[in-house]
Amino acid sequence: MTGVQVSIDPELCYGSWECVHRVPSVFAVVDGFGTVLPGHEDDGDDPAVRAAAEACPSRAIALGGADPRL
């Protein structure tokens, strides 16, 4: 079964690391910016991941393929 897709738009992320502080099991910092750890691309249905997306100051986290800018 596939969960809800989670991704980070590198064009929007400015490296606040809010996602990593909230859910280090799903997000990491690479070259100063947030990224989704391999194998966790379908963890968007996790309430903690949803909270991290809502708290992202740059609105760079997308859930379910949605445009994070909306």
Side-chain angles (χ1 to χ4, degrees):
M1 184 173 159
T2 302
V4 175
Q5 183 183 8
V6 59
S7 61
I8 296 180
D9 184 333
E11 296 294 319
L12 295 176
C13 180
Y14 58 74
S16 74
W17 301 9
E18 184 69 27
C19 57
V20 178
H21 291 296
R22 289 178 177 266
V23 197
S25 61
V26 174
F27 301 104
V29 174
V30 175
D31 296 329
F33 300 98
T35 189
V36 179
L37 290 169
H40 293 277
E41 297 87 356
D42 293 329
D43 286 356
D45 53 355
D46 180 328
V49 172
R50 289 187 178 275
E54 290 175 12
C56 178
S58 65
R59 312 290 290 166
I61 302 173
L63 298 175
D67 187 334
R69 294 170 285 198
L70 300 178

